[in-house]
Amino acid sequence: MTRPAIIINEFDAERIDRLLERPEWATSPVAAALNDELDRAQMCSPQEMPHNVVSMNSQVRFRDLSTQEERVRTLVFPANMTDSATQLSVLAPVGAALLGLRVGDSIHWSLPNGTETHLEVLELLYQPEAAGEFNR
């Protein structure tokens, strides 16, 4: 199964790499999948990030194509996670799946329980790079 091309800014990639090196995250199933995503991603500087790509701290509206349920979440690092109703950790399976996707992209993603989800990015409500915030 092919996955859509993804774009990750170098600043986010460096912070995710450091996070994945920490013992509490290094052996998680999501860490392996996220490492694979970083390996295949096109890297760019924060200033060059297209404004339709999900980056860290982006607020994204997405749909689970299996259930047709829509959600709006802000993609955050685990240490910044304060409210699961409005935020989604990049180390959660769905968070890892959304990182780097463009509006309109969909992706099939394996979940730790052995099932698979199919997600579609509908809209970016906020993206730090589009707002001129390059160090978030």
Side-chain angles (χ1 to χ4, degrees):
M1 164 180 4
T2 58
R3 292 188 167 171
I6 61 172
I7 301 172
I8 300 176
N9 84 52
E10 297 154 340
F11 184 64
D12 286 347
E14 288 173 19
R15 293 186 303 167
I16 292 167
D17 271 339
R18 284 195 306 271
L19 184 67
L20 295 176
E21 291 172 358
R22 296 174 57 182
E24 63 267 33
W25 301 112
T27 59
S28 76
V30 174
L34 195 51
N35 264 320
D36 289 344
E37 290 297 274
L38 290 175
D39 287 345
R40 74 180 192 88
Q42 173 189 335
M43 297 291 170
C44 69
S45 73
Q47 293 82 356
E48 295 171 334
M49 177 64 89
H51 294 174
N52 64 342
V53 174
V54 178
S55 63
M56 292 306 302
N57 299 302
S58 290
Q59 185 180 43
V60 59
R61 185 169 64 93
F62 63 96
R63 176 184 297 130
D64 180 329
L65 293 172
S66 305
T67 64
Q68 299 306 310
E69 182 180 351
E70 287 187 21
R71 295 187 186 111
V72 174
R73 297 287 186 277
T74 300
L75 188 63
V76 299
F77 288 98
N80 299 344
M81 185 78 182
T82 59
D83 180 8
S84 62
T86 62
Q87 296 174 317
L88 182 61
S89 170
V90 70
L91 286 178
V94 171
L98 292 172
L99 181 68
L101 294 179
R102 293 179 184 267
V103 172
D105 282 349
S106 64
I107 191 168
H108 290 272
W109 194 260
S110 298
L111 301 175
N113 65 5
T115 63
E116 191 172 272
T117 190
H118 188 193
L119 305 170
E120 178 184 21
V121 176
L122 301 173
E123 180 182 12
L124 272 182
L125 302 170
Y126 171 80
Q127 186 210 53
E129 295 84 355
E133 299 174 13
F134 302 116
N135 297 316
R136 281 192 73 192

